[in-house]
C-alpha cells in the first residue's frame, strides 16, 4: 500500500495514544505464566502484540479478547509443548522474551518470524540463556531465527550485559523465574524497565539497585488486573508533528512518561520545544501524564550513547525533528539502530537526503543539518513501521507530495496512524 501525503497548514486536536506495545507484550506473557485469571484493560491490538497473543494460544493458554482481554494463566509449568512452529511475525520483543520463557519450560519449541525478524541478531539472548542451562540452537551458528529451544532445569546466573537492551534483560529475568536461586542482570546503561516494574505486582521477588536487577526463581506468579497506559513511542510522531508544523496545537492524553522511555521528551525540551507535562499520575505502576504541545522553533543538539536507550524507538522521528532544527544535530552511539526492524540509520539518511536534507552517516549514527527546506519524495520504508510514520511526519513539512511505500507497516504498532493523521491535519 502506498500513501501520499502533502504539506500541512497546521495540526490541531487531542489524541489518546494507542496502548503501550512493550507493556502489552509483558502483560500477556506474565498473565499467561501466572496462575489464575488476569484481566488486561487497554491492551494494544496491533500486529506485534497479536503475535504474542497467538504464541501463547499455541502454547495452550486460553485468552479471550473483548473490550478487556482475559487470560486464564496456566502457572509456571502449565504451558504445553506446541505442535507447530511459533510465528513471531515482525516482533523482536515476542521472539526474545518468549525465548526466555521457553528456556524455563521442559519441552521442545521452534520460533520463527518474517523476513525482517529472521535477519535480527538472537545470539544476544541465546548466549546467556544457554549459560542458564537451556538447550538452544539457531541458524548461522546460533545467531539468527528460526530458533529451536528445549528448556528446563535452569540454574541462576549473574550476567553483565554487553549491550543495553530491554529485550535481552527481560528474556533473562523471565528465565530467572524458572531458575533455582537468584538471577542477576547488570546493564551498561538503563533500558526500559517495564518488566521489573510489572513483575512484583504478579507476586515476583525483584530487587532493583542502580543498573542491577535481581529476580528470585521458584515463585509461582498470580493473575492480576492491569491497565496499559498510552504508548509514548507512538505519540512521539504526533508530538513531533505539532512542533514542526506552524500554528499547531496538540494535546496527548494519558501517555506513559516512564523515565526509561522519555529521552525524546527531554531532548525536545532541550531543543526548545513548547511542551507542557501535566496531570502526572500512576497507572499500574507506570507514570502517565497529559502533554500539551505547540509549534516551536527548535535548536540542534548533540546526542550520545548514554541517551540512546531512553529514545531508541524515537530515533527515526528524532531525525526528522533534527532536519527542522537550527544547526547541526549529531547522534552517536546508536549502532543498535542498524539491527532494528530495518537498518534505521541507513533508512533515515537515505530518505532525508531524498527530501533535500544534508545528512552525514556514521557507523553508529548520523548528523543532520537544519533547518532544511524539505521537498516531497518517494520514500522506501523497508517495511518498517517507524520509518513509515517518521517520513509521514516529514511529509507534513515538505513542499510537494511525498509517497510512503509499504505504508501498511504502521499496523505493527499503530493501526489508526493514518486516520489520526488525517483527523489532526484536516
Ligand atoms: C523493547 C525494547 C527495545 C525497543 C523495542 C521494544 C521492549 O529493544 O527497541 O521496540 O519491549 O523490550 P532493545 O531493548 O532490544 O533495544
Amino acid at each position: 500500500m502506498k500513501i501520499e501525503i502533502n504539506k500541512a497548514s497546521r495540526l490541531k486536536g487531542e489524541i489518546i495514544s494507542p496502548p503501550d506495545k512493550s507493556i502489552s507484550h509483558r502483560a500477556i506473557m506474565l498473565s499467561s505464566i501466572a496462575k489464575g485469571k488476569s484481566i488486561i484493560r487497554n491492551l494494544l491490538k496491533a500486529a506485534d502484540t497479536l503475535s504474542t497473543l497467538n504464541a501463547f494460544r499455541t502454547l495452550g493458554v486460553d485468552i479471550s479478547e473483548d473490550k478487556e482481554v482475559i487470560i486464564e494463566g496456566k502457572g509456571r509449568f502449565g504451558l504445553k509443548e506446541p505442535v507447530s512452529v511459533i510465528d513471531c511475525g515482525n516482533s523482536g520483543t515476542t521472539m526474545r522474551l518468549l525465548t526466555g520463557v521457553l528456556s524455563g519450560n521442559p519441552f521442545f519449541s521452534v520460533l520463527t518470524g518474517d523476513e525482517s525478524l529472521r535477519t535480527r541478531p538472537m545470539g544476544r539472548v541465546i548466549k546467556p540463556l544457554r549459560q542458564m542451562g537451556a538447550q538452544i540452537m539457531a541458524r548461522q551458528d546460533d545467531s539468527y531465527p528460526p530458533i529451536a529451544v528445549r528448556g528446563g532445569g535452569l540454574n541462576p546466573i549473574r550476567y553483565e550485559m554487553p549491550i543495553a537492551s530491554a529485550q535481552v534483560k527481560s528474556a533473562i529475568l523471565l528465565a530467572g523465574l524458572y531458575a533455582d536461586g537468584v538471577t542477576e542482570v547488570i546493564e551498561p546503561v538503563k533500558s526500559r524497565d517495564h518488566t521489573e516494574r510489572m513483575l512484583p505486582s504478579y507476586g515476583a521477588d525483584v530487587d532493583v539497585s542502580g543498573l542491577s536487577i535481581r529476580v528470585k526463581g521458584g515463585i509461582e506468579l498470580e493473575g492480576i488486573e492491569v491497565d496499559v497506559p498510552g504508548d509514548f513511542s507512538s505519540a512521539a510522531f504526533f508530538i513531533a508533528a505539532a512542533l514542526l508544523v506552524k500554528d499547531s496545537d496538540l494535546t496527548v492524553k494519558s501517555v506513559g512518561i516512564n523515565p526509561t522511555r522519555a529521552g525524546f521528551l527531554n531532548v525536545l525540551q532541550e531543543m526548545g520545544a513548547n511542551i507542557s507535562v501535566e496531570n502526572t499520575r500512576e497507572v499500574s505502576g507506570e507514570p502517565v501524564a497529559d502533554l500539551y504541545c505547540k509549534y516551536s522553533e527548535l535548536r540542534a543538539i548533540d546526542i550520545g550513547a548514554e541517551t540512546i536507550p531512553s529514545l531508541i524507538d524515537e530515533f527515526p522521528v528524532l531525525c526528522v525533528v533534527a532536519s527542522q532544527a537550527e544547526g547541526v544535530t549529531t547522534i552517536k552511539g546508536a549502532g543498535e539502530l542498524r539491527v532494528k526492524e530495518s537498518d534505521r540509520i541507513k533508512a533515515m539518511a537515505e530518505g532525508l537526503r531524498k527530501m533535500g536534507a544534508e545528512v552525514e552517516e556514521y557507523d553508529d549514527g548520523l548528523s543532520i543539518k537544519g533547518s532544511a527546506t524539505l521537498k516531497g519524495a518517494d520514500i522506501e520504508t523497508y517495511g518498517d513501521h517507524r520509518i513509515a510514520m517518521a517520513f509521514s511526519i516529514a511529509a507534513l513539512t515538505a513542499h510537494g507530495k511525498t509517497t510512503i511505500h509499504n505504508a501498511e507497516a504502521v499496523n505493527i504498532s499503530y493501526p489508526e496512524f493514518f486516520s489520526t493523521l488525517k483527523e489532526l491535519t484536516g
Side-chain angles (χ1 to χ4, degrees):
M1 176 175 90
K2 275 191 244 170
I3 294 240
E4 294 180 347
I5 302 176
N6 287 297
K7 192 169 165 70
S9 51
R10 60 174 199 169
L11 190 127
K12 270 201 166 50
E14 181 176 305
I15 60 165
I16 297 180
S17 190
D20 190 281
K21 181 156 82 71
S22 290
I23 296 173
S24 294
H25 283 298
R26 287 156 172 80
I28 299 165
M29 294 192 185
L30 293 180
S31 299
S32 295
I33 60 169
K35 215 173 180 60
K37 179 164 149 178
S38 285
I39 300 174
I40 310 172
R41 285 182 283 269
N42 199 36
L43 185 87
L44 176 67
K45 303 275 183 66
D48 262 16
T49 44
L50 290 180
S51 290
T52 297
L53 272 183
N54 289 333
F56 279 91
R57 284 189 172 126
T58 309
L59 291 161
V61 182
D62 287 331
I63 302 175
S64 71
E65 281 177 75
D66 206 340
K67 206 158 173 285
E68 299 172 335
V69 169
I70 298 180
I71 299 187
E72 298 294 342
K74 292 286 180 189
R76 219 158 47 107
F77 288 109
L79 299 178
K80 70 170 206 294
E81 185 171 76
V83 292
S84 186
V85 169
I86 295 176
D87 185 359
C88 301
N90 189 245
S91 175
T93 309
T94 307
M95 183 169 280
R96 297 202 177 107
L97 271 61
L98 189 52
T99 303
V101 171
L102 293 173
S103 291
N105 280 276
F107 54 68
F108 177 75
S109 45
V110 180
L111 304 179
T112 191
D114 71 6
E115 207 183 323
S116 153
L117 187 55
R118 280 182 276 118
T119 65
R120 297 185 63 190
M122 294 297 150
R124 55 182 64 193
V125 285
I126 294 174
K127 187 173 166 249
L129 294 171
R130 271 185 168 173
Q131 272 178 36
M132 295 179 81
Q135 296 177 57
I136 311 183
M137 282 204 278
R139 199 167 56 81
Q140 280 195 29
D141 223 359
D142 302 325
S143 305
Y144 297 102
I147 304 180
V149 186
R150 184 177 289 285
L154 298 188
N155 49 264
I157 56 168
R158 177 179 188 278
Y159 190 69
E160 291 195 26
M161 291 177 28
I163 44 170
S165 163
Q167 293 180 353
V168 175
K169 168 176 66 178
S170 302
I172 300 169
L173 294 175
L174 290 171
L177 296 171
Y178 293 87
D180 198 9
V182 175
T183 294
E184 182 178 12
V185 189
I186 298 124
E187 304 191 81
V189 179
K190 201 155 181 67
S191 65
R192 64 190 65 192
D193 63 358
H194 306 303
T195 305
E196 52 271 41
R197 271 180 194 255
M198 194 182 268
L199 271 168
S201 56
Y202 285 87
D205 186 346
V206 176
D207 179 48
V208 180
S209 164
L211 295 171
S212 148
I213 306 105
R214 297 157 140 255
V215 66
K216 195 166 164 194
I219 294 173
E220 189 76 82
L221 305 186
E222 277 175 33
I224 60 164
E225 296 192 15
V226 196
D227 287 279
V228 179
D231 196 323
F232 181 77
S233 301
S234 297
F237 296 101
F238 292 114
I239 295 172
L243 302 177
L244 301 185
V245 176
K246 282 211 174 86
D247 290 331
S248 294
D249 195 338
L250 173 76
T251 302
V252 183
K253 287 277 196 190
S254 297
V255 67
I257 53 156
N258 178 319
T260 61
R261 293 284 297 282
F264 184 61
L265 189 58
N266 303 333
V267 162
L268 290 175
Q269 284 172 333
E270 267 186 67
M271 293 173 91
N274 185 345
I275 303 178
S276 75
V277 180
E278 292 182 22
N279 193 17
T280 303
R281 56 211 185 265
E282 214 170 84
V283 172
S284 296
E286 291 278 346
V288 165
D290 303 330
L291 308 181
Y292 296 85
C293 316
K294 285 201 166 90
Y295 169 75
S296 308
E297 304 221 332
L298 302 174
R299 302 176 291 275
I301 192 171
D302 284 337
I303 297 169
E306 63 299 337
T307 311
I308 300 298
S310 67
L311 49 71
I312 188 105
D313 291 340
E314 289 67 63
F315 171 86
V317 74
L318 173 60
C319 292
V320 173
V321 169
S323 78
Q324 300 306 298
E326 208 47 55
V328 177
T329 291
T330 301
I331 308 173
K332 300 278 279 175
E336 274 296 297
L337 272 306
R338 293 209 182 270
V339 291
K340 292 292 177 187
E341 287 84 328
S342 70
D343 177 344
R344 288 181 172 164
I345 296 177
K346 174 174 163 235
M348 289 313 299
E350 185 182 279
L352 282 174
R353 277 187 194 130
K354 256 187 145 175
M355 295 183 83
E358 258 182 64
V359 182
E360 195 174 339
E361 190 178 331
Y362 316 115
D363 282 350
D364 67 339
L366 36 64
S367 50
I368 300 166
K369 188 163 175 227
S371 151
T373 305
L374 298 185
K375 56 177 196 297
D378 260 322
I379 297 297
E380 178 52 73
T381 58
Y382 297 95
D384 182 332
H385 55 135
R386 298 199 201 277
I387 300 297
M389 292 189 274
F391 280 108
S392 301
I393 302 308
L396 302 177
T397 71
H399 298 285
K401 182 182 75 187
T402 298
T403 305
I404 309 286
H405 292 267
N406 292 318
E408 68 285 352
V410 305
N411 292 330
I412 292 296
S413 59
Y414 200 159
E416 313 80 23
F417 176 78
F418 289 113
S419 56
T420 302
L421 181 65
K422 208 165 172 191
E423 269 165 42
L424 292 174
T425 53

